[in-house]
């Protein structure tokens, strides 16, 4: 035990340091993405962002302790892995929202556009739709910035089409660790590009990108319900590869899957304008779900009922007709590219997290050649719990999300290939994305909490799997390092040392990966 007087002195010292506060993820207070933020700046131009970075560098070199800098997009990340645990200045990119240089010639099958880092998918979709264009399938959700998506290797789900957001980037400007703007241009033979393509923000702040665009298209969304055994023993590759984008949602208690797939249709073939909603609910629905799922912290029967209800709801189209706001009742649904693939919030609803519904998650990518083996191993883990008397379920409104990725070459991406693990990543990847409700009551631990850790540890130890960079805890990253390619890590580190020799953009993921 330390004497009280020592503790008092220590407390006084701590409080005399510059006040540092927590910065939160999209889930709000109690969900920190950074623990020690000393200041948050809003950049409204690239010049202003550059000068913010330069003054942080100057302040660092004139004091004894290093001041770190990180970009902040829309906060759509899950855990406390944005920053290092040292005092950090955040620079919000929301004000970097210019779009320009639109270039899509009449009749051309592709073109390009420049966006600043804070532009969201939603903003760009609106801009492009007015001009008869779209970004194709290199997408994530609507209210997420391009800077944040590209930095963290975000992706949609496709084996046929490029679906890493970075795969749609032709060039990018990065403010490096000296506060200088550097342009990096797509070139698979250039280590700078291969590092910048999935950089985790460790090379600097991405401020501007040149993106591939395509003529706008209408697409259909179709969904089938499958028995679990037909997927576990089925040709999973064959269920996904034929489509522009496709995924599976797993209902482990029901032993069912939903199989969702999308592809283009001629624009003149349909007048429907379907608009998808994945995350918004009414206040009443939110209250009911929260009450049921909170009781599921203690009672398996509540979770079983919740999965039953969610499954039933998810079997119906989660779409409305955009022009009338009417519910769409039947599959398939048709509409414009971004509205159908992503959509957004219904005008009379709010995102579920705005009602205090929060989730944990875990997302790992495996070679798609191991898809059946991986899903069967997870089934076994569910069954082991059943034998111990614990009925485990999905406690998320869209079940367990199983996504896919076409191979895309860079150093830190989830779907890269030619790696030292000897696994065959050349056919693409299957992602296991397991969100679960975080109870608002008691100690906030989930029903049979240890199960979730067992699933993560078993998969990481038994498979050559790689983590999604914003959907995993520090523990998952630490355990996953052994599955990363040491040569790619070394080549990334060499680029990092040139872009940011002082490590001002350092964060905990970079530390865990041994990049400092
Ligand atoms: C509802 C929801 C749905 C999602 N859907 C998908 C999905 O379909 N597929 C998928 O892969 N991911 C998905 N994600 C995860 C999301 O794409 C990533 O977490 C993404 O990084 C969030 O971007 P952001 O703009 O919110 O950035 P933030 O959350 O603010 O930042 C994330 C990280 O990126 C860094 N960063 C942000 N901007 C820049 C920049 N300009 N330059 C350098 N570094 C930067 C930050 O420092 C931080 O480390 C989803 C998340 C949510 C909440
Ligand atoms: C987007 O996210 C921000 C928080 O980062 C929130 O304030 C805003 O309301 C969201 N907009 C939409 C359309 O969801
Ligand atoms: C991957 O390896 C194959 C076979 O060794 C080689 O032909 C190919 O060029 C490599 N691709 C990349 C991007 O390294």
């Amino acid at each position: 035990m330390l004497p009280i007087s020592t503790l008092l002195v220590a407390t006084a010292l701590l409080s005399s340091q510059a006040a540092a506060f927590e910065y939160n993820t999209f889930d709000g207070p109690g969900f920190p993405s950074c623990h020690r933020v000393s200041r948050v700046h809003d950049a409204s131009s690239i010049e202003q962002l550059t000068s913010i970075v330069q003054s942080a560098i100057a302040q660092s070199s004139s004091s004894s302790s290093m001041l770190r800098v990180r970009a902040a997009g829309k906060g759509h990340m899950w855990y406390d892995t944005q920053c290092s645990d040292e005092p950090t200045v955040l620079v919000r990119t929301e004000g970097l929202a210019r779009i320009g240089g639109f270039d899509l010639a009449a009749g051309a099958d592709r073109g390009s556009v420049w966006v600043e880092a804070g532009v969201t998918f939603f903003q760009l979709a609106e801009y492009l739709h007015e001009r008869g264009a779209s970004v194709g399938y290199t997408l994530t959700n609507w209210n997420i910035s391009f800077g944040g998506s590209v930095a963290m290797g975000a992706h949609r789900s496709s084996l046929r089409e490029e679906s890493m957001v970075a795969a749609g980037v032709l060039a990018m400007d990065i403010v490096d660790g000296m506060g200088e703007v550097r342009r990096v241009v797509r070139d698979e033979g250039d280590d700078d590009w291969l590092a910048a393509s999935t950089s985790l923000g460790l090379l600097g702040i991405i401020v501007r990108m040149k993106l591939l665009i395509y003529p706008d298209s209408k697409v259909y969304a179709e969904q089938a319900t499958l028995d679990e055994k037909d997927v576990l023993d089925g040709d999973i590759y064959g269920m996904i590869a034929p489509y522009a984008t496709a995924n599976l949602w797993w209902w482990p208690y029901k032993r069912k899957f939903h199989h969702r797939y999308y592809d283009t249709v001629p624009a003149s073939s349909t007048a429907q304008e379907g608009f998808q909603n994945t995350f918004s609910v009414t206040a009443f629905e939110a209250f009911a779900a929260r009450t049921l799922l909170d009781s599921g912290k203690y009672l398996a029967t509540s979770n079983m009922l919740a999965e039953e209800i969610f499954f039933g709801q998810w079997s119906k189209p989660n779409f409305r007709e955009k022009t009338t706001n009417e519910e769409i009742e039947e599959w398939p649904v048709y509409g414009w590219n971004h509205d159908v693939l992503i959509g957004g919030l219904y005008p009379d609803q709010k995102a579920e997290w705005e009602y205090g519904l929060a989730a944990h998650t875990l997302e790992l990518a495996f070679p798609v050649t191991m898809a059946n083996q991986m899903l069967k191993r997870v089934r076994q883990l569910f069954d082991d719990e059943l034998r111990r008397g614990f009925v485990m379920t999905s406690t998320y409104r869209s079940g367990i999300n199983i996504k896919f990725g076409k191979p895309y070459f860079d150093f830190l991406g989830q779907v890269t290939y030619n790696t030292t693990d000897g696994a065959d990543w050349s056919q693409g990847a299957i992602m296991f994305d397991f969100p679960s409700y975080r109870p608002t009551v008691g100690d906030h631990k989930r029903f049979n909490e240890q199960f979730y850790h067992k699933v993560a540890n078993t998969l990481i130890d038994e498979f050559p799997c790689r983590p999604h960079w914003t959907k995993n805890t520090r523990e998952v990253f630490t355990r996953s390092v052994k599955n990363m390619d040491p040569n790619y890590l070394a080549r990334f580190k060499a680029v990092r040392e040139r872009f940011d020799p002082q490590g001002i953009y350092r964060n905990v993921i970079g530390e865990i990966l041994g990049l400092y």
Side-chain angles (χ1 to χ4, degrees):
M1 264 303 265
L2 289 171
I4 294 285
S5 57
T6 312
L7 286 175
L8 287 175
V9 171
T11 314
L13 275 175
L14 276 176
S15 55
S16 72
Q17 285 181 359
F21 50 91
E22 285 187 342
Y23 189 79
N24 301 321
T25 71
F26 70 116
D27 278 321
F31 298 87
S33 61
C34 301
H35 293 289
R36 292 182 70 192
V37 173
S38 52
R39 189 120 188 236
V40 181
H41 293 274
D42 277 294
S44 57
S45 69
I46 293 171
E47 295 65 38
Q48 196 196 356
L49 185 144
T50 306
S51 75
I52 293 166
V53 170
Q54 284 170 352
S55 63
I57 296 169
Q59 205 181 325
S60 257
S61 49
S62 68
S63 81
S64 55
S65 70
M66 184 88 190
L67 200 53
R68 312 277 176 203
V69 178
R70 291 290 299 181
K74 289 291 192 174
H76 276 47
M77 59 182 298
W78 265 260
Y79 294 108
D80 58 344
T81 57
Q82 177 168 14
C83 299
S84 71
D85 290 335
E86 290 154 355
T88 302
V89 169
L90 288 181
V91 190
R92 285 163 36 93
T93 59
E94 206 166 83
L96 295 183
R98 274 163 287 266
I99 305 175
F102 177 84
D103 179 11
L104 181 66
D109 70 341
R110 60 187 58 202
S112 61
V113 69
W114 280 92
V115 299
E116 288 185 344
V119 171
T120 61
F121 288 90
F122 185 70
Q123 290 165 344
L124 182 62
E126 208 164 72
Y127 172 99
L128 292 179
H129 182 63
E130 283 168 10
R131 291 163 179 78
S134 83
V135 290
Y137 306 103
T138 52
L139 291 166
T140 68
N141 251 281
W142 77 100
N143 197 13
I144 294 177
S145 75
F146 272 90
S149 307
V150 171
M152 306 312 288
H155 49 77
R156 194 173 163 89
S157 178
S158 181
L159 288 169
R160 193 185 85 189
E161 305 290 333
E162 295 292 358
S163 66
M164 283 278 288
V165 180
V169 179
L170 298 169
M172 65 176 104
D173 288 346
I174 298 178
V175 175
D176 69 13
M178 283 68 74
E180 307 288 335
V181 180
R182 293 203 196 200
R183 177 155 300 178
V184 190
V185 176
R186 168 174 296 281
D187 174 2
E188 275 203 358
D190 177 7
D191 278 19
D192 286 5
W193 169 260
L194 295 173
S197 165
T198 303
S199 67
L200 314 184
L202 303 178
L203 304 185
I205 300 182
I206 301 168
V207 289
R208 175 162 53 197
M209 283 151 281
K210 184 182 187 183
L211 305 177
L212 270 173
I213 56 171
Y214 308 90
D216 206 359
S217 57
K218 276 205 157 174
V219 299
Y220 70 81
E222 177 63 285
Q223 182 169 288
T225 301
L226 305 172
D227 283 336
E228 188 181 271
K229 62 176 173 9
D230 294 336
V231 174
L232 297 196
D233 295 319
D235 173 13
I236 296 173
Y237 185 91
M239 293 173 194
I240 304 299
Y243 305 105
T245 161
N247 69 295
L248 296 163
W249 281 296
W250 193 0
W251 304 94
Y253 165 66
K254 299 277 302 167
R255 295 178 190 259
K256 297 277 186 198
F257 280 88
H258 283 131
H259 176 212
R260 176 73 69 88
Y261 48 101
Y262 306 80
D263 220 326
T264 51
V265 290
S268 58
S269 67
T270 171
Q272 196 175 47
E273 293 193 26
F275 182 85
Q276 173 158 214
N277 153 44
T278 334
F279 295 104
S280 64
V281 287
T282 63
F284 177 76
E285 287 169 333
F287 174 77
R290 188 167 147 174
T291 307
L292 185 59
L293 291 169
D294 275 343
S295 77
K297 172 175 170 53
Y298 310 103
L299 293 173
T301 46
S302 298
N303 297 331
M304 290 147 69
L305 177 60
E307 194 184 297
E308 194 75 59
I309 294 169
F310 292 149
F311 172 82
Q313 286 174 343
W314 211 248
S315 299
K316 293 185 270 185
N318 53 324
F319 289 82
R320 286 186 187 174
E321 167 61 46
K322 201 180 180 180
T323 53
T324 61
N325 213 21
E326 300 273 340
E327 208 78 50
I328 293 174
E329 307 279 350
E330 280 177 24
W331 299 104
V333 175
Y334 301 91
W336 290 105
N337 177 293
H338 185 269
D339 289 344
V340 171
L341 299 180
I342 301 284
L345 301 180
Y346 293 153
D348 51 345
Q349 300 186 353
K350 284 201 245 180
E352 55 196 14
W353 47 90
E354 295 191 26
Y355 295 106
L357 293 163
H360 293 277
T361 194
L362 163 81
E363 182 175 330
L364 301 168
F366 306 75
V368 72
T369 52
M370 303 177 103
N372 300 80
Q373 191 187 336
M374 182 274 286
L375 293 178
K376 284 180 180 176
R377 186 67 181 100
V378 176
R379 176 76 263 167
Q380 224 172 47
L381 292 169
F382 273 97
D383 290 346
D384 290 348
E385 295 309 303
L386 206 53
R387 269 191 294 278
R388 297 175 55 233
F390 293 99
V391 185
M392 300 308 294
T393 68
S394 166
T395 52
Y396 199 67
R397 70 191 291 224
S398 51
I400 300 176
N401 195 354
I402 310 292
K403 293 178 275 192
F404 298 84
K406 178 177 167 158
Y408 170 80
F409 191 68
D410 63 10
F411 291 147
L412 300 184
Q414 274 191 298
V415 291
T416 198
Y417 51 97
N418 280 11
T419 43
T420 47
D421 56 13
D424 180 8
W425 294 91
S426 68
Q427 305 303 299
I430 179 171
M431 285 93 167
F432 179 77
D433 175 4
F434 188 9
S436 52
Y437 181 71
R438 177 186 182 273
T440 64
V441 291
D443 60 5
H444 305 297
K445 291 212 162 42
R446 293 159 285 190
F447 175 74
N448 192 17
E449 174 74 26
Q450 57 85 28
F451 168 71
Y452 295 91
H453 303 276
K454 188 167 179 205
V455 170
N457 294 344
T458 304
L459 293 176
I460 296 165
D461 291 352
E462 295 182 8
F463 292 86
C465 60
R466 305 172 182 151
H468 186 292
W469 297 118
T470 64
K471 296 187 170 189
N472 290 294
T473 59
R474 296 176 179 205
E475 291 68 35
V476 166
F477 290 134
T478 304
R479 206 171 180 115
S480 300
V481 175
K482 59 175 178 269
N483 295 341
M484 301 293 297
D485 185 315
N487 298 335
Y488 291 174
L489 287 174
R491 285 166 71 185
F492 183 93
K493 184 176 178 186
V495 176
R496 196 282 294 164
E497 284 170 344
R498 280 189 287 106
F499 274 67
D500 182 24
Q502 308 293 319
I504 74 161
Y505 297 108
R506 173 170 170 157
N507 78 351
V508 291
I509 306 179
E511 289 166 4
I512 290 168
L513 293 176
L515 302 171
Y516 293 91

